[in-house]
């Protein structure tokens, strides 16, 4: 199994930065390597509330909502790309950077790995939350639930 299609869940923590660096190291010398950096975000509550209250029944309102959501997502993708630019500047393979909306972080990560046909997930051992212990609850749940190898990095 080639470990050159790697998903890196990213949350700006030191551990996530280290996981991204390690994923890049694993792909060194492999020009066909792919790294998919994803940040899991809660669905934008202001848009959800406005869409529910407006009961967007006509096509124009639905299209307007979709365009606003797409624009917001593109802006967030660009911001994430800027935040990881220094780490990824010398990566020679294909880099995908995406903010994805999800209610359940673990499921969202696993779904992203499946969608990108990843052969590995590389993630930090503890994120930005106030977690205690050697391994964070999200990384432990991904490790426990994943069908592909998971590299947990401190």
């Amino acid at each position: 199994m080639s470990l050159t299609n790697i998903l890196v869940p990213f949350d700006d923590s030191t551990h996530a930065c280290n996981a991204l660096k390690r994923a890049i190291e694993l792909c060194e010398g492999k020009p066909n390597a792919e790294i998919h950096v994803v940040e899991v975000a809660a669905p934008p509550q202001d848009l959800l509330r406005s869409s529910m209250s407006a009961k967007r029944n006509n096509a124009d309102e639905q299209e307007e909502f979709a365009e606003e959501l797409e624009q917001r997502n593109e802006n967030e993708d660009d911001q994430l790309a800027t935040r990881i630019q220094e780490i990824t500047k010398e990566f020679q393979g294909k880099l995908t950077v995406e903010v994805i909306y999800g209610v359940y972080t673990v499921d969202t990560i696993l779904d992203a790995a499946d969608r990108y046909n990843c052969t590995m997930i590389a993630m930090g051992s503890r994120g930005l939350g106030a977690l205690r212990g050697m391994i964070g609850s999200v990384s432990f749940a991904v490790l426990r639930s994943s069908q592909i190898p998971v590299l947990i990095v401190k």
Side-chain angles (χ1 to χ4, degrees), residues 40-45 48 100-109 111 138:
V40 178
Q45 297 301 307
L48 290 176
I100 50 180
Y101 297 121
V103 176
Y104 301 104
T105 304
V106 173
D107 292 340
T108 305
I109 290 169
D111 289 346
V138 172

Side-chain angles (χ1 to χ4, degrees), residues 53-81:
S53 66
K55 296 186 180 176
R56 299 180 186 273
N57 291 327
N58 75 42
D60 289 340
E61 288 177 335
Q62 289 175 359
E63 186 175 326
E64 182 181 312
F65 175 77
E67 287 174 8
E68 187 173 345
L69 187 59
E70 184 176 332
Q71 181 61 49
R72 186 176 294 195
N73 193 259
E74 285 177 20
N75 291 341
E76 290 176 357
D77 291 351
D78 291 344
Q79 290 171 11
L80 176 58

